[in-house]
Amino acid sequence: MDKTVYMKEALKEAYKAYQKGETPIGAVIVKDGEIIARAHNLTETIKDSTAHAEILAIREASGKIGGWRLISCELYVTMEPCMMCSGAIINSRIKKVVIGARHIKNSILEKQHSYMINYLGSNNIDVEFGVLEDRCSNMLRMFFKSLRNKRVDKNTNSIDGSVKNSIEDR
């Protein structure tokens, strides 16, 4: 199946996070062409610093297949994983990571990005960037813009329209 189909599913998860006031990052795990897990950030909702989309998806996939080794699985995530999630990806033996948006805003994050790519690559994990990058970036941009403007309102759809457009087909 086309990679964009899976990334669109990850974007749907990211939108769920957005609606909850969470950083809008979504992830899906695919095995043999079938989505076996999906998750979105829940750090604020469940008050758990490890409740990132990637980690929650890994937990769900492990439960579904009955083991922690996700050897023949692929992870689709809307934003580049942090160091914690990169470690979980390696430990779970995921074979490929497909990333929507990069997370490079300053030199420290750029160094982290380079390290993470080398870290995943040295563990024989294929990494691909840029699948639906504009849509993934747009959702994150709109979320942080709304935070800066202090306009996040979970009970209205004032900004949701433009964010929702980023996950719909054009």
Side-chain angles (χ1 to χ4, degrees):
M1 197 175 287
D2 182 18
K3 291 176 216 162
T4 61
V5 171
Y6 300 125
M7 191 59 76
K8 285 178 185 176
E9 292 301 313
L11 276 163
K12 288 177 185 177
E13 288 298 315
Y15 186 63
K16 290 177 188 177
Y18 177 88
Q19 291 179 308
K20 294 175 182 173
E22 297 276 357
T23 303
I25 299 172
V28 297
I29 295 180
V30 176
K31 180 180 173 76
D32 300 327
E34 177 188 344
I35 295 174
I36 63 167
R38 55 181 71 233
H40 54 276
N41 275 9
L42 289 173
T43 54
E44 299 296 333
T45 303
I46 66 174
K47 310 288 188 255
D48 179 351
S49 62
T50 67
H52 291 197
E54 301 94 324
I55 298 221
L56 296 173
I58 288 169
R59 288 177 185 161
E60 183 180 326
S62 295
K64 184 148 188 179
I65 67 167
W68 61 271
R69 290 178 185 91
L70 304 176
I71 293 169
S72 61
C73 296
E74 298 176 351
L75 171 69
Y76 291 77
V77 62
T78 57
M79 190 174 105
E80 183 173 351
C82 70
M83 295 304 292
M84 173 184 69
C85 292
S86 296
I89 291 164
I90 289 167
N91 288 336
S92 67
R93 311 292 199 271
I94 287 174
K95 72 174 183 176
K96 183 172 185 171
V97 180
V98 180
I99 300 165
R102 291 179 188 253
H103 189 261
I104 298 175
K105 288 191 174 191
N106 63 41
S107 62
I108 293 171
L109 289 176
E110 191 168 345
K111 287 178 186 173
Q112 176 182 311
H113 164 81
S114 297
Y115 179 77
M116 193 247 343
I117 295 303
N118 290 334
Y119 186 46
L120 292 174
S122 67
N123 283 280
N124 298 317
I125 297 171
D126 292 330
V127 179
E128 181 177 343
F129 282 95
V131 175
L132 298 180
E133 183 173 13
D134 289 341
R135 293 184 190 189
C136 295
S137 295
N138 182 54
M139 189 177 300
L140 288 157
R141 207 171 13 261
M142 293 300 293
F143 175 76
F144 288 112
K145 180 180 180 182
S146 70
L147 282 182
R148 282 191 303 275
N149 294 330
K150 300 183 192 290
R151 294 187 299 157
V152 173
D153 183 350
K154 296 178 193 173
N155 300 318
T156 68
N157 290 327
S158 59
I159 296 176
D160 283 352
S162 39
V163 171
K164 193 169 185 182
N165 288 339
S166 71
I167 64 170
E168 294 175 350
D169 289 328
R170 296 179 197 187

